[in-house]
Amino acid sequence: MYQSMRKKDNQQIAIFLPSYLEAALEADINAGVDAMNNSLFEKGFSFHYLVRPLEQRATYGLPQWKVAGAVAVDVRRSELVCELDESGLSYVVLNGVAGPNGSAVQADDAGNMECAMKYLYELGHRRIGYVNPYRDPKLIPIGFAEQHYSVIRRTASYFEFCLAYGLPVLESAKDCTVTVEDAVAEGVARGFTAYVAYSFEMYMEICHYLHARNLHIPRDVSVVTFNNPPLARFAAPPATCVEIPCREMGVEAGRLLLERLERPRETEPQVRMLPGRLVIRDSAGPAIGKRQ
């Protein structure tokens, strides 16, 4: 900050995080933040982090001092960045939604869900459940429409796929107050042969509850998960994943921010959606009756 003041050449970027612990310990998008920082660091930029742990009650706010630009991570609703949007500061949202004056980089989560569903369908599965993240009702309530875009779009894509292919649905997929255990119990009772998990952590829970019912993965039930953390290949069984392109998203966010900083009057706000890729391992196999 002092160097920028002395040189009169501000190259500081403020990075807003919704929750320090979540971002530090669990969020795969951290790889995207690192990739973005590396790409901008090469251009002479430096960074500082601002934490907004209760973003559902307030906005992400503004940096406490003058900066060249800003990046907000995992923004659920555009209202949360209204101050950034109205300030005239160049900003980009990474893995979230921006206001009318900001750009955003997102995963193509509708296409990613379709990819997972098509893979299981081609394996012969006709009763496929989707398990959404559980949110304790005792916490600050968030309506389904206020959830992260990945929750909303994956859910919509799941129901659209089932409708298009004439498949039964797991009704609990539209409710984030249903625990993984209860969702699995519903699926087992209805004879579902495959599940798609919102995250790798939930993949581990699904496997635990299936094993507790003496169901073998993938002989009896197949499971595909979103995200592809390093531990996914060491799970039992190693997890088939739809990998979210977090690093590519980070690099793209850095590129969009640089464009806004270099040509603010010529660069229009935009939304870029990047597709994921299917990483096939051992957790999904042919449905019973489709095996050689």
Side-chain angles (χ1 to χ4, degrees):
M1 180 179 67
Y2 291 123
Q3 287 175 349
S4 298
M5 292 171 61
R6 187 168 61 248
K7 296 178 180 179
K8 297 182 180 181
D9 179 23
N10 194 321
Q11 288 191 287
Q12 276 228 328
I13 304 297
I15 301 177
F16 290 88
L17 300 173
S19 169
Y20 177 78
L21 288 177
E22 178 183 352
L25 300 179
E26 294 181 4
D28 290 352
I29 199 60
N30 277 337
V33 176
D34 288 343
M36 178 191 67
N37 287 356
N38 288 339
S39 67
L40 292 174
F41 182 78
E42 296 173 357
K43 305 291 185 181
F45 290 93
S46 57
F47 315 93
H48 67 270
Y49 294 86
L50 299 169
V51 179
R52 297 292 184 265
L54 292 178
E55 82 282 8
Q56 58 266 57
R57 283 185 169 175
T59 69
Y60 278 58
L62 290 170
Q64 289 110 332
W65 52 79
K66 187 176 181 180
V67 295
V71 177
V73 182
D74 283 344
V75 179
R76 293 186 294 103
R77 304 191 329 271
S78 60
E79 294 90 342
L80 297 175
V81 288
C82 62
E83 293 175 58
L84 280 176
D85 210 54
E86 295 167 0
S87 69
L89 182 67
S90 295
Y91 80 96
V92 173
V93 171
L94 176 57
N95 198 39
V97 294
N101 297 319
S103 293
V105 181
Q106 305 170 350
D108 179 11
D109 273 308
N112 293 337
M113 173 59 84
E114 185 178 7
C115 173
M117 293 293 288
K118 277 187 175 179
Y119 176 66
L120 291 169
Y121 188 87
E122 289 168 358
L123 288 172
H125 295 281
R126 298 296 182 265
R127 301 182 76 84
I128 306 169
Y130 172 52
V131 184
N132 247 329
Y134 168 75
R135 180 175 176 83
D136 191 333
K138 296 178 182 177
L139 300 175
I140 298 169
I142 296 177
F144 190 82
E146 298 177 298
Q147 296 284 347
H148 190 262
Y149 77 88
S150 60
V151 176
I152 297 170
R153 293 178 189 170
R154 291 175 193 177
T155 304
S157 183
Y158 166 70
F159 281 97
E160 288 169 5
F161 186 95
C162 291
L163 179 62
Y165 285 80
L167 307 182
V169 298
L170 200 64
E171 292 294 339
S172 59
K174 63 181 73 170
D175 188 350
C176 289
T177 64
V178 175
T179 65
V180 175
E181 182 177 14
D182 288 343
V184 170
E186 178 192 348
V188 170
R190 295 178 56 196
F192 278 62
T193 63
Y195 296 88
V196 178
Y198 175 82
S199 66
F200 176 70
E201 179 184 2
M202 296 176 65
Y203 166 85
M204 297 296 289
E205 285 192 70
I206 291 172
C207 291
H208 169 79
Y209 292 122
L210 290 173
H211 289 151
R213 290 166 169 78
N214 295 317
L215 293 170
H216 182 273
I217 304 168
R219 184 189 64 210
D220 301 317
V221 182
S222 291
V223 187
V224 172
T225 182
F226 283 89
N227 303 339
N228 183 30
L231 287 177
R233 62 193 180 100
F234 299 109
T240 293
C241 304
V242 178
E243 182 178 85
I244 304 302
C246 294
R247 292 190 179 278
E248 293 86 345
M249 290 167 64
V251 172
E252 182 65 12
R255 186 188 68 79
L256 290 178
L257 183 59
L258 194 59
E259 282 186 358
R260 297 294 298 273
L261 294 174
E262 293 178 342
R263 301 187 299 276
R265 295 182 180 179
E266 303 170 24
T267 307
E268 293 293 327
Q270 57 181 296
V271 177
R272 290 276 288 114
M273 289 196 292
L274 277 62
R277 71 183 185 97
L278 184 66
V279 180
I280 298 175
R281 297 195 180 96
D282 300 337
S283 64
I288 296 174
K290 292 290 183 178
R291 297 168 189 165
Q292 297 295 329

